Amino acid sequence: ADRAEDGIIAVNLTMPLDLNPRQEPRKWACYQEALSSLPGGETLHPDVEVSHFVGGPCDKHKVAAVLVKAPEVPEGSHVHNKLLCGLSAAQMLSKARAEREQSGEPPRKRLRGKTRPASEPPRKPVSVEVFWGTAGWSRCQLMGELASGSWGLCTASIPEIICIPRAELYETLYPRLVFASKSEMSEDYSRDDGDIDPDQFDEEGGEEEDAEDDAELDDP
């Protein structure tokens, strides 16, 4: 997405985040506040499954996007920019599905003269994917990183982004990526440096931001 005249922002879709109060106190507090603010003071429906992801190092304590997916209603999938809005939407989908089931199942449909088998696969929960933070570049910076081979480009449809499990998304799309031709700007990615540390992608001043965060938490 464009930001102002010279800014590009993006969200990482494939980096899971283990959200817990010990390692991520600010995010955890924000999440708990949203849960406690559900309409009517309700608790989150047991049919809602929430997953958290690192969207990027910029504004890392803020929710960048919330993707709500109802497996049996693809057109019911929506992206929200507020955590409470996303959780509330998932709550409504789950309650509506529960009410339909309580009202009785519709008559069985026949397939080529046969009824559907009695045993059906278990239904999937309503999925909520919360992305914390974004990644950002100036246009010039991003063009330079593309030229160096740091990033590849490919086309992807919205159904692919929504339906492919996050753990499989990278391997599914990577073969389709197109990288810039080799040049004097190309980086060498042939060596194996082990696991990537997400902290290395923090924007300039990241240490000062962390120190400021800690100071805020220590304030009485």
Side-chain angles (χ1 to χ4, degrees):
D2 289 342
R3 173 173 285 181
E5 296 182 356
D6 190 42
I8 303 293
I9 59 173
V11 173
N12 189 326
L13 299 176
T14 60
M15 187 178 293
L17 172 66
D18 179 15
L19 188 65
N20 63 76
R22 186 166 187 174
Q23 294 180 319
E24 298 287 353
R26 289 185 63 182
K27 294 185 181 71
W28 178 262
C30 180
Y31 177 55
Q32 294 302 313
E33 180 181 0
L35 289 177
S36 65
S37 301
L38 286 172
E42 298 176 334
T43 58
L44 193 63
H45 196 280
D47 203 22
V48 176
E49 183 179 83
V50 182
S51 303
H52 299 267
F53 297 84
V54 177
C58 304
D59 294 327
K60 59 185 179 182
H61 295 299
K62 296 181 180 179
V63 171
V66 182
L67 175 60
V68 179
K69 300 187 292 184
E72 72 277 15
V73 189
E75 63 273 17
S77 299
H78 294 284
V79 177
H80 303 266
N81 58 5
K82 300 292 185 182
L83 181 53
L84 180 57
C85 291
L87 293 175
S88 299
Q91 183 85 333
M92 292 178 60
L93 286 171
S94 297
K95 290 173 62 178
R97 181 162 66 175
E99 290 172 358
R100 288 196 302 268
E101 293 176 351
Q102 290 176 358
S103 65
E105 296 183 359
R108 289 180 177 271
K109 296 182 179 180
R110 290 185 173 272
L111 298 175
R112 296 181 180 178
K114 298 182 180 180
T115 59
R116 293 182 184 274
S119 60
E120 296 183 353
R123 68 181 185 183
K124 295 181 179 180
V126 174
S127 170
V128 178
E129 297 178 344
V130 183
F131 299 91
W132 298 84
T134 61
W137 305 263
S138 68
R139 293 177 184 272
C140 183
Q141 179 187 8
L142 183 56
M143 290 299 293
E145 293 187 12
L146 287 169
S148 70
S150 298
W151 301 98
L153 299 175
C154 75
T155 58
S157 66
I158 292 178
E160 283 180 312
I161 298 301
I162 291 177
C163 298
I164 298 176
R166 293 290 163 250
E168 302 172 13
L169 187 60
Y170 178 82
E171 292 185 358
T172 300
L173 296 182
Y174 185 83
R176 290 155 49 179
L177 293 180
V178 176
F179 293 89
S181 302
K182 293 289 184 180
S183 69
E184 64 275 4
M185 295 183 64
S186 299
E187 297 284 350
D188 180 13
Y189 292 100
S190 61
R191 64 184 186 280
D192 182 8
D193 291 332
D195 294 337
I196 297 176
D197 179 4
D199 291 339
Q200 68 178 290
F201 296 107
D202 280 359
E203 66 273 35
E204 291 185 7
E207 293 182 0
E208 293 182 2
E209 179 185 347
D210 290 341
E212 181 180 343
D213 294 342
D214 293 340
E216 291 178 5
L217 291 174
D218 293 335
D219 287 342

PDB file of all heavy atoms in Angstrom, residues 80-116:
ATOM      1  N   HIS A  80     -10.125  -6.292   8.681  1.00  0.00           N
ATOM      2  CA  HIS A  80     -10.468  -5.161   9.544  1.00  0.00           C
ATOM      3  C   HIS A  80      -9.174  -4.489  10.001  1.00  0.00           C
ATOM      4  O   HIS A  80      -8.135  -5.143  10.129  1.00  0.00           O
ATOM      5  CB  HIS A  80     -11.266  -5.637  10.759  1.00  0.00           C
ATOM      6  CG  HIS A  80     -12.520  -6.388  10.402  1.00  0.00           C
ATOM      7  ND1 HIS A  80     -13.755  -5.781  10.306  1.00  0.00           N
ATOM      8  CD2 HIS A  80     -12.716  -7.701  10.101  1.00  0.00           C
ATOM      9  CE1 HIS A  80     -14.656  -6.675   9.972  1.00  0.00           C
ATOM     10  NE2 HIS A  80     -14.066  -7.852   9.840  1.00  0.00           N
ATOM     11  N   ASN A  81      -9.237  -3.196  10.281  1.00  0.00           N
ATOM     12  CA  ASN A  81      -8.040  -2.497  10.752  1.00  0.00           C
ATOM     13  C   ASN A  81      -8.087  -2.228  12.250  1.00  0.00           C
ATOM     14  O   ASN A  81      -7.202  -1.569  12.789  1.00  0.00           O
ATOM     15  CB  ASN A  81      -7.827  -1.192   9.987  1.00  0.00           C
ATOM     16  CG  ASN A  81      -9.010  -0.238  10.107  1.00  0.00           C
ATOM     17  OD1 ASN A  81      -9.970  -0.504  10.829  1.00  0.00           O
ATOM     18  ND2 ASN A  81      -8.944   0.872   9.393  1.00  0.00           N
ATOM     19  N   LYS A  82      -9.125  -2.724  12.930  1.00  0.00           N
ATOM     20  CA  LYS A  82      -9.229  -2.599  14.375  1.00  0.00           C
ATOM     21  C   LYS A  82      -9.409  -3.985  14.987  1.00  0.00           C
ATOM     22  O   LYS A  82     -10.209  -4.785  14.488  1.00  0.00           O
ATOM     23  CB  LYS A  82     -10.401  -1.695  14.768  1.00  0.00           C
ATOM     24  CG  LYS A  82     -10.322  -0.266  14.248  1.00  0.00           C
ATOM     25  CD  LYS A  82      -9.199   0.506  14.916  1.00  0.00           C
ATOM     26  CE  LYS A  82      -9.211   1.970  14.470  1.00  0.00           C
ATOM     27  NZ  LYS A  82      -8.089   2.729  15.091  1.00  0.00           N
ATOM     28  N   LEU A  83      -8.687  -4.250  16.070  1.00  0.00           N
ATOM     29  CA  LEU A  83      -8.750  -5.559  16.707  1.00  0.00           C
ATOM     30  C   LEU A  83     -10.161  -5.871  17.193  1.00  0.00           C
ATOM     31  O   LEU A  83     -10.678  -6.974  16.965  1.00  0.00           O
ATOM     32  CB  LEU A  83      -7.755  -5.611  17.858  1.00  0.00           C
ATOM     33  CG  LEU A  83      -7.663  -6.924  18.644  1.00  0.00           C
ATOM     34  CD1 LEU A  83      -7.418  -8.105  17.724  1.00  0.00           C
ATOM     35  CD2 LEU A  83      -6.568  -6.831  19.702  1.00  0.00           C
ATOM     36  N   LEU A  84     -10.795  -4.931  17.867  1.00  0.00           N
ATOM     37  CA  LEU A  84     -12.136  -5.175  18.392  1.00  0.00           C
ATOM     38  C   LEU A  84     -13.134  -5.427  17.273  1.00  0.00           C
ATOM     39  O   LEU A  84     -14.015  -6.287  17.400  1.00  0.00           O
ATOM     40  CB  LEU A  84     -12.588  -3.989  19.253  1.00  0.00           C
ATOM     41  CG  LEU A  84     -13.989  -4.100  19.877  1.00  0.00           C
ATOM     42  CD1 LEU A  84     -14.110  -5.355  20.724  1.00  0.00           C
ATOM     43  CD2 LEU A  84     -14.299  -2.860  20.704  1.00  0.00           C
ATOM     44  N   CYS A  85     -13.004  -4.710  16.165  1.00  0.00           N
ATOM     45  CA  CYS A  85     -13.905  -4.915  15.035  1.00  0.00           C
ATOM     46  C   CYS A  85     -13.772  -6.336  14.488  1.00  0.00           C
ATOM     47  O   CYS A  85     -14.772  -6.997  14.183  1.00  0.00           O
ATOM     48  CB  CYS A  85     -13.621  -3.899  13.928  1.00  0.00           C
ATOM     49  SG  CYS A  85     -14.055  -2.202  14.348  1.00  0.00           S
ATOM     50  N   GLY A  86     -12.534  -6.814  14.358  1.00  0.00           N
ATOM     51  CA  GLY A  86     -12.308  -8.164  13.857  1.00  0.00           C
ATOM     52  C   GLY A  86     -12.862  -9.228  14.791  1.00  0.00           C
ATOM     53  O   GLY A  86     -13.515 -10.184  14.360  1.00  0.00           O
ATOM     54  N   LEU A  87     -12.603  -9.078  16.094  1.00  0.00           N
ATOM     55  CA  LEU A  87     -13.106 -10.047  17.063  1.00  0.00           C
ATOM     56  C   LEU A  87     -14.634 -10.036  17.111  1.00  0.00           C
ATOM     57  O   LEU A  87     -15.273 -11.093  17.214  1.00  0.00           O
ATOM     58  CB  LEU A  87     -12.534  -9.739  18.445  1.00  0.00           C
ATOM     59  CG  LEU A  87     -11.023  -9.944  18.617  1.00  0.00           C
ATOM     60  CD1 LEU A  87     -10.575  -9.473  20.000  1.00  0.00           C
ATOM     61  CD2 LEU A  87     -10.641 -11.407  18.405  1.00  0.00           C
ATOM     62  N   SER A  88     -15.224  -8.860  17.021  1.00  0.00           N
ATOM     63  CA  SER A  88     -16.684  -8.754  17.043  1.00  0.00           C
ATOM     64  C   SER A  88     -17.301  -9.411  15.810  1.00  0.00           C
ATOM     65  O   SER A  88     -18.342 -10.075  15.900  1.00  0.00           O
ATOM     66  CB  SER A  88     -17.111  -7.287  17.121  1.00  0.00           C
ATOM     67  OG  SER A  88     -16.628  -6.671  18.305  1.00  0.00           O
ATOM     68  N   ALA A  89     -16.671  -9.229  14.655  1.00  0.00           N
ATOM     69  CA  ALA A  89     -17.170  -9.851  13.429  1.00  0.00           C
ATOM     70  C   ALA A  89     -17.103 -11.369  13.532  1.00  0.00           C
ATOM     71  O   ALA A  89     -18.038 -12.073  13.132  1.00  0.00           O
ATOM     72  CB  ALA A  89     -16.360  -9.357  12.231  1.00  0.00           C
ATOM     73  N   ALA A  90     -15.994 -11.891  14.070  1.00  0.00           N
ATOM     74  CA  ALA A  90     -15.864 -13.340  14.248  1.00  0.00           C
ATOM     75  C   ALA A  90     -16.902 -13.859  15.234  1.00  0.00           C
ATOM     76  O   ALA A  90     -17.462 -14.946  15.055  1.00  0.00           O
ATOM     77  CB  ALA A  90     -14.460 -13.676  14.726  1.00  0.00           C
ATOM     78  N   GLN A  91     -17.157 -13.081  16.272  1.00  0.00           N
ATOM     79  CA  GLN A  91     -18.164 -13.456  17.261  1.00  0.00           C
ATOM     80  C   GLN A  91     -19.539 -13.590  16.602  1.00  0.00           C
ATOM     81  O   GLN A  91     -20.275 -14.560  16.844  1.00  0.00           O
ATOM     82  CB  GLN A  91     -18.201 -12.405  18.373  1.00  0.00           C
ATOM     83  CG  GLN A  91     -19.152 -12.710  19.505  1.00  0.00           C
ATOM     84  CD  GLN A  91     -18.521 -13.598  20.557  1.00  0.00           C
ATOM     85  OE1 GLN A  91     -17.615 -14.379  20.260  1.00  0.00           O
ATOM     86  NE2 GLN A  91     -19.002 -13.495  21.775  1.00  0.00           N
ATOM     87  N   MET A  92     -19.890 -12.648  15.748  1.00  0.00           N
ATOM     88  CA  MET A  92     -21.180 -12.674  15.077  1.00  0.00           C
ATOM     89  C   MET A  92     -21.290 -13.872  14.137  1.00  0.00           C
ATOM     90  O   MET A  92     -22.340 -14.535  14.084  1.00  0.00           O
ATOM     91  CB  MET A  92     -21.397 -11.372  14.306  1.00  0.00           C
ATOM     92  CG  MET A  92     -21.564 -10.139  15.185  1.00  0.00           C
ATOM     93  SD  MET A  92     -21.753  -8.608  14.219  1.00  0.00           S
ATOM     94  CE  MET A  92     -23.233  -8.991  13.286  1.00  0.00           C
ATOM     95  N   LEU A  93     -20.223 -14.168  13.400  1.00  0.00           N
ATOM     96  CA  LEU A  93     -20.235 -15.319  12.499  1.00  0.00           C
ATOM     97  C   LEU A  93     -20.426 -16.624  13.262  1.00  0.00           C
ATOM     98  O   LEU A  93     -21.206 -17.489  12.854  1.00  0.00           O
ATOM     99  CB  LEU A  93     -18.929 -15.366  11.693  1.00  0.00           C
ATOM    100  CG  LEU A  93     -18.766 -14.336  10.573  1.00  0.00           C
ATOM    101  CD1 LEU A  93     -17.344 -14.377  10.021  1.00  0.00           C
ATOM    102  CD2 LEU A  93     -19.763 -14.608   9.451  1.00  0.00           C
ATOM    103  N   SER A  94     -19.723 -16.771  14.377  1.00  0.00           N
ATOM    104  CA  SER A  94     -19.812 -17.997  15.163  1.00  0.00           C
ATOM    105  C   SER A  94     -21.191 -18.172  15.781  1.00  0.00           C
ATOM    106  O   SER A  94     -21.763 -19.260  15.788  1.00  0.00           O
ATOM    107  CB  SER A  94     -18.742 -18.001  16.264  1.00  0.00           C
ATOM    108  OG  SER A  94     -17.454 -17.991  15.708  1.00  0.00           O
ATOM    109  N   LYS A  95     -21.743 -17.076  16.305  1.00  0.00           N
ATOM    110  CA  LYS A  95     -23.076 -17.144  16.912  1.00  0.00           C
ATOM    111  C   LYS A  95     -24.130 -17.466  15.858  1.00  0.00           C
ATOM    112  O   LYS A  95     -25.054 -18.249  16.108  1.00  0.00           O
ATOM    113  CB  LYS A  95     -23.391 -15.825  17.604  1.00  0.00           C
ATOM    114  CG  LYS A  95     -22.576 -15.573  18.863  1.00  0.00           C
ATOM    115  CD  LYS A  95     -22.804 -14.188  19.418  1.00  0.00           C
ATOM    116  CE  LYS A  95     -24.253 -13.978  19.817  1.00  0.00           C
ATOM    117  NZ  LYS A  95     -24.462 -12.631  20.411  1.00  0.00           N
ATOM    118  N   ALA A  96     -23.992 -16.878  14.672  1.00  0.00           N
ATOM    119  CA  ALA A  96     -24.958 -17.143  13.607  1.00  0.00           C
ATOM    120  C   ALA A  96     -24.901 -18.604  13.186  1.00  0.00           C
ATOM    121  O   ALA A  96     -25.941 -19.238  12.948  1.00  0.00           O
ATOM    122  CB  ALA A  96     -24.679 -16.224  12.410  1.00  0.00           C
ATOM    123  N   ARG A  97     -23.701 -19.160  13.107  1.00  0.00           N
ATOM    124  CA  ARG A  97     -23.574 -20.562  12.735  1.00  0.00           C
ATOM    125  C   ARG A  97     -24.176 -21.464  13.810  1.00  0.00           C
ATOM    126  O   ARG A  97     -24.863 -22.438  13.514  1.00  0.00           O
ATOM    127  CB  ARG A  97     -22.101 -20.916  12.497  1.00  0.00           C
ATOM    128  CG  ARG A  97     -21.895 -22.353  12.074  1.00  0.00           C
ATOM    129  CD  ARG A  97     -20.538 -22.554  11.436  1.00  0.00           C
ATOM    130  NE  ARG A  97     -19.441 -22.367  12.359  1.00  0.00           N
ATOM    131  CZ  ARG A  97     -18.168 -22.589  12.027  1.00  0.00           C
ATOM    132  NH1 ARG A  97     -17.865 -22.976  10.792  1.00  0.00           N
ATOM    133  NH2 ARG A  97     -17.212 -22.409  12.902  1.00  0.00           N
ATOM    134  N   ALA A  98     -23.945 -21.133  15.089  1.00  0.00           N
ATOM    135  CA  ALA A  98     -24.507 -21.924  16.187  1.00  0.00           C
ATOM    136  C   ALA A  98     -26.028 -21.866  16.181  1.00  0.00           C
ATOM    137  O   ALA A  98     -26.711 -22.871  16.430  1.00  0.00           O
ATOM    138  CB  ALA A  98     -23.955 -21.429  17.517  1.00  0.00           C
ATOM    139  N   GLU A  99     -26.589 -20.689  15.885  1.00  0.00           N
ATOM    140  CA  GLU A  99     -28.045 -20.548  15.850  1.00  0.00           C
ATOM    141  C   GLU A  99     -28.647 -21.360  14.712  1.00  0.00           C
ATOM    142  O   GLU A  99     -29.734 -21.945  14.866  1.00  0.00           O
ATOM    143  CB  GLU A  99     -28.413 -19.072  15.709  1.00  0.00           C
ATOM    144  CG  GLU A  99     -28.105 -18.255  16.963  1.00  0.00           C
ATOM    145  CD  GLU A  99     -28.301 -16.769  16.748  1.00  0.00           C
ATOM    146  OE1 GLU A  99     -28.649 -16.380  15.601  1.00  0.00           O
ATOM    147  OE2 GLU A  99     -28.095 -15.994  17.700  1.00  0.00           O
ATOM    148  N   ARG A 100     -27.967 -21.409  13.563  1.00  0.00           N
ATOM    149  CA  ARG A 100     -28.467 -22.211  12.452  1.00  0.00           C
ATOM    150  C   ARG A 100     -28.501 -23.684  12.822  1.00  0.00           C
ATOM    151  O   ARG A 100     -29.435 -24.407  12.473  1.00  0.00           O
ATOM    152  CB  ARG A 100     -27.590 -21.996  11.209  1.00  0.00           C
ATOM    153  CG  ARG A 100     -27.753 -20.642  10.550  1.00  0.00           C
ATOM    154  CD  ARG A 100     -27.163 -20.641   9.150  1.00  0.00           C
ATOM    155  NE  ARG A 100     -25.753 -20.990   9.161  1.00  0.00           N
ATOM    156  CZ  ARG A 100     -24.771 -20.097   9.248  1.00  0.00           C
ATOM    157  NH1 ARG A 100     -25.067 -18.806   9.365  1.00  0.00           N
ATOM    158  NH2 ARG A 100     -23.516 -20.484   9.234  1.00  0.00           N
ATOM    159  N   GLU A 101     -27.466 -24.134  13.518  1.00  0.00           N
ATOM    160  CA  GLU A 101     -27.412 -25.539  13.900  1.00  0.00           C
ATOM    161  C   GLU A 101     -28.487 -25.876  14.937  1.00  0.00           C
ATOM    162  O   GLU A 101     -29.069 -26.964  14.907  1.00  0.00           O
ATOM    163  CB  GLU A 101     -26.024 -25.858  14.451  1.00  0.00           C
ATOM    164  CG  GLU A 101     -24.929 -25.782  13.393  1.00  0.00           C
ATOM    165  CD  GLU A 101     -23.552 -26.005  13.968  1.00  0.00           C
ATOM    166  OE1 GLU A 101     -23.442 -26.044  15.211  1.00  0.00           O
ATOM    167  OE2 GLU A 101     -22.595 -26.128  13.186  1.00  0.00           O
ATOM    168  N   GLN A 102     -28.743 -24.954  15.849  1.00  0.00           N
ATOM    169  CA  GLN A 102     -29.754 -25.202  16.871  1.00  0.00           C
ATOM    170  C   GLN A 102     -31.162 -25.220  16.287  1.00  0.00           C
ATOM    171  O   GLN A 102     -32.058 -25.877  16.824  1.00  0.00           O
ATOM    172  CB  GLN A 102     -29.669 -24.135  17.967  1.00  0.00           C
ATOM    173  CG  GLN A 102     -28.416 -24.251  18.820  1.00  0.00           C
ATOM    174  CD  GLN A 102     -28.312 -23.121  19.840  1.00  0.00           C
ATOM    175  OE1 GLN A 102     -29.166 -22.237  19.883  1.00  0.00           O
ATOM    176  NE2 GLN A 102     -27.272 -23.159  20.650  1.00  0.00           N
ATOM    177  N   SER A 103     -31.371 -24.502  15.187  1.00  0.00           N
ATOM    178  CA  SER A 103     -32.695 -24.454  14.578  1.00  0.00           C
ATOM    179  C   SER A 103     -33.012 -25.710  13.792  1.00  0.00           C
ATOM    180  O   SER A 103     -34.129 -25.875  13.306  1.00  0.00           O
ATOM    181  CB  SER A 103     -32.805 -23.228  13.670  1.00  0.00           C
ATOM    182  OG  SER A 103     -31.914 -23.335  12.574  1.00  0.00           O
ATOM    183  N   GLY A 104     -32.053 -26.607  13.653  1.00  0.00           N
ATOM    184  CA  GLY A 104     -32.273 -27.857  12.929  1.00  0.00           C
ATOM    185  C   GLY A 104     -31.569 -27.855  11.592  1.00  0.00           C
ATOM    186  O   GLY A 104     -31.509 -26.840  10.900  1.00  0.00           O
ATOM    187  N   GLU A 105     -31.048 -29.024  11.203  1.00  0.00           N
ATOM    188  CA  GLU A 105     -30.336 -29.137   9.931  1.00  0.00           C
ATOM    189  C   GLU A 105     -31.321 -29.169   8.777  1.00  0.00           C
ATOM    190  O   GLU A 105     -32.426 -29.706   8.907  1.00  0.00           O
ATOM    191  CB  GLU A 105     -29.479 -30.405   9.925  1.00  0.00           C
ATOM    192  CG  GLU A 105     -28.371 -30.408  10.956  1.00  0.00           C
ATOM    193  CD  GLU A 105     -27.526 -31.650  10.860  1.00  0.00           C
ATOM    194  OE1 GLU A 105     -27.849 -32.494   9.995  1.00  0.00           O
ATOM    195  OE2 GLU A 105     -26.565 -31.778  11.629  1.00  0.00           O
ATOM    196  N   PRO A 106     -30.959 -28.598   7.637  1.00  0.00           N
ATOM    197  CA  PRO A 106     -31.828 -28.666   6.466  1.00  0.00           C
ATOM    198  C   PRO A 106     -31.896 -30.104   5.949  1.00  0.00           C
ATOM    199  O   PRO A 106     -31.054 -30.937   6.297  1.00  0.00           O
ATOM    200  CB  PRO A 106     -31.119 -27.752   5.455  1.00  0.00           C
ATOM    201  CG  PRO A 106     -29.691 -27.756   5.875  1.00  0.00           C
ATOM    202  CD  PRO A 106     -29.714 -27.869   7.374  1.00  0.00           C
ATOM    203  N   PRO A 107     -32.928 -30.440   5.148  1.00  0.00           N
ATOM    204  CA  PRO A 107     -33.039 -31.802   4.599  1.00  0.00           C
ATOM    205  C   PRO A 107     -31.779 -32.189   3.840  1.00  0.00           C
ATOM    206  O   PRO A 107     -31.140 -31.353   3.191  1.00  0.00           O
ATOM    207  CB  PRO A 107     -34.243 -31.701   3.660  1.00  0.00           C
ATOM    208  CG  PRO A 107     -35.010 -30.518   4.150  1.00  0.00           C
ATOM    209  CD  PRO A 107     -34.002 -29.567   4.706  1.00  0.00           C
ATOM    210  N   ARG A 108     -31.432 -33.467   3.931  1.00  0.00           N
ATOM    211  CA  ARG A 108     -30.232 -33.941   3.231  1.00  0.00           C
ATOM    212  C   ARG A 108     -30.431 -33.855   1.725  1.00  0.00           C
ATOM    213  O   ARG A 108     -31.481 -34.208   1.198  1.00  0.00           O
ATOM    214  CB  ARG A 108     -29.937 -35.396   3.605  1.00  0.00           C
ATOM    215  CG  ARG A 108     -29.439 -35.565   5.030  1.00  0.00           C
ATOM    216  CD  ARG A 108     -29.177 -37.035   5.309  1.00  0.00           C
ATOM    217  NE  ARG A 108     -28.637 -37.211   6.637  1.00  0.00           N
ATOM    218  CZ  ARG A 108     -27.333 -37.171   6.913  1.00  0.00           C
ATOM    219  NH1 ARG A 108     -26.477 -36.927   5.942  1.00  0.00           N
ATOM    220  NH2 ARG A 108     -26.918 -37.345   8.136  1.00  0.00           N
ATOM    221  N   LYS A 109     -29.427 -33.382   1.048  1.00  0.00           N
ATOM    222  CA  LYS A 109     -29.487 -33.326  -0.404  1.00  0.00           C
ATOM    223  C   LYS A 109     -29.031 -34.658  -0.983  1.00  0.00           C
ATOM    224  O   LYS A 109     -28.242 -35.374  -0.389  1.00  0.00           O
ATOM    225  CB  LYS A 109     -28.580 -32.194  -0.925  1.00  0.00           C
ATOM    226  CG  LYS A 109     -29.036 -30.817  -0.492  1.00  0.00           C
ATOM    227  CD  LYS A 109     -28.125 -29.757  -1.084  1.00  0.00           C
ATOM    228  CE  LYS A 109     -28.584 -28.366  -0.666  1.00  0.00           C
ATOM    229  NZ  LYS A 109     -27.701 -27.327  -1.235  1.00  0.00           N
ATOM    230  N   ARG A 110     -29.543 -34.971  -2.153  1.00  0.00           N
ATOM    231  CA  ARG A 110     -29.176 -36.223  -2.794  1.00  0.00           C
ATOM    232  C   ARG A 110     -28.145 -35.972  -3.880  1.00  0.00           C
ATOM    233  O   ARG A 110     -28.243 -35.019  -4.646  1.00  0.00           O
ATOM    234  CB  ARG A 110     -30.406 -36.914  -3.387  1.00  0.00           C
ATOM    235  CG  ARG A 110     -31.345 -37.443  -2.328  1.00  0.00           C
ATOM    236  CD  ARG A 110     -32.494 -38.225  -2.931  1.00  0.00           C
ATOM    237  NE  ARG A 110     -33.284 -38.852  -1.886  1.00  0.00           N
ATOM    238  CZ  ARG A 110     -33.037 -40.052  -1.383  1.00  0.00           C
ATOM    239  NH1 ARG A 110     -31.999 -40.745  -1.821  1.00  0.00           N
ATOM    240  NH2 ARG A 110     -33.795 -40.568  -0.440  1.00  0.00           N
ATOM    241  N   LEU A 111     -27.158 -36.827  -3.938  1.00  0.00           N
ATOM    242  CA  LEU A 111     -26.118 -36.762  -4.958  1.00  0.00           C
ATOM    243  C   LEU A 111     -26.209 -38.016  -5.802  1.00  0.00           C
ATOM    244  O   LEU A 111     -25.925 -39.121  -5.331  1.00  0.00           O
ATOM    245  CB  LEU A 111     -24.730 -36.653  -4.320  1.00  0.00           C
ATOM    246  CG  LEU A 111     -24.478 -35.417  -3.461  1.00  0.00           C
ATOM    247  CD1 LEU A 111     -23.111 -35.527  -2.812  1.00  0.00           C
ATOM    248  CD2 LEU A 111     -24.572 -34.161  -4.296  1.00  0.00           C
ATOM    249  N   ARG A 112     -26.684 -37.846  -7.053  1.00  0.00           N
ATOM    250  CA  ARG A 112     -26.823 -38.983  -7.954  1.00  0.00           C
ATOM    251  C   ARG A 112     -27.635 -40.105  -7.309  1.00  0.00           C
ATOM    252  O   ARG A 112     -27.274 -41.279  -7.346  1.00  0.00           O
ATOM    253  CB  ARG A 112     -25.452 -39.513  -8.376  1.00  0.00           C
ATOM    254  CG  ARG A 112     -24.647 -38.491  -9.180  1.00  0.00           C
ATOM    255  CD  ARG A 112     -23.315 -39.047  -9.603  1.00  0.00           C
ATOM    256  NE  ARG A 112     -22.555 -38.073 -10.354  1.00  0.00           N
ATOM    257  CZ  ARG A 112     -21.323 -38.280 -10.820  1.00  0.00           C
ATOM    258  NH1 ARG A 112     -20.728 -39.438 -10.600  1.00  0.00           N
ATOM    259  NH2 ARG A 112     -20.696 -37.346 -11.489  1.00  0.00           N
ATOM    260  N   GLY A 113     -28.744 -39.711  -6.689  1.00  0.00           N
ATOM    261  CA  GLY A 113     -29.642 -40.693  -6.119  1.00  0.00           C
ATOM    262  C   GLY A 113     -29.247 -41.226  -4.767  1.00  0.00           C
ATOM    263  O   GLY A 113     -29.937 -42.064  -4.202  1.00  0.00           O
ATOM    264  N   LYS A 114     -28.148 -40.714  -4.189  1.00  0.00           N
ATOM    265  CA  LYS A 114     -27.688 -41.195  -2.892  1.00  0.00           C
ATOM    266  C   LYS A 114     -27.655 -40.046  -1.897  1.00  0.00           C
ATOM    267  O   LYS A 114     -27.414 -38.907  -2.268  1.00  0.00           O
ATOM    268  CB  LYS A 114     -26.293 -41.824  -3.004  1.00  0.00           C
ATOM    269  CG  LYS A 114     -26.239 -43.041  -3.909  1.00  0.00           C
ATOM    270  CD  LYS A 114     -24.833 -43.624  -3.928  1.00  0.00           C
ATOM    271  CE  LYS A 114     -24.769 -44.848  -4.825  1.00  0.00           C
ATOM    272  NZ  LYS A 114     -23.400 -45.431  -4.858  1.00  0.00           N
ATOM    273  N   THR A 115     -27.915 -40.378  -0.647  1.00  0.00           N
ATOM    274  CA  THR A 115     -27.841 -39.350   0.390  1.00  0.00           C
ATOM    275  C   THR A 115     -26.389 -39.110   0.763  1.00  0.00           C
ATOM    276  O   THR A 115     -25.522 -39.960   0.532  1.00  0.00           O
ATOM    277  CB  THR A 115     -28.620 -39.781   1.639  1.00  0.00           C
ATOM    278  OG1 THR A 115     -28.073 -41.004   2.117  1.00  0.00           O
ATOM    279  CG2 THR A 115     -30.099 -39.960   1.313  1.00  0.00           C
ATOM    280  N   ARG A 116     -26.131 -37.956   1.348  1.00  0.00           N
ATOM    281  CA  ARG A 116     -24.781 -37.663   1.826  1.00  0.00           C
ATOM    282  C   ARG A 116     -24.417 -38.633   2.937  1.00  0.00           C
ATOM    283  O   ARG A 116     -25.278 -39.049   3.715  1.00  0.00           O
ATOM    284  CB  ARG A 116     -24.708 -36.228   2.373  1.00  0.00           C
ATOM    285  CG  ARG A 116     -24.892 -35.161   1.319  1.00  0.00           C
ATOM    286  CD  ARG A 116     -24.750 -33.782   1.942  1.00  0.00           C
ATOM    287  NE  ARG A 116     -25.014 -32.738   0.980  1.00  0.00           N
ATOM    288  CZ  ARG A 116     -24.106 -32.229   0.158  1.00  0.00           C
ATOM    289  NH1 ARG A 116     -22.872 -32.701   0.181  1.00  0.00           N
ATOM    290  NH2 ARG A 116     -24.431 -31.269  -0.687  1.00  0.00           N
TER     291      ARG A 116
END
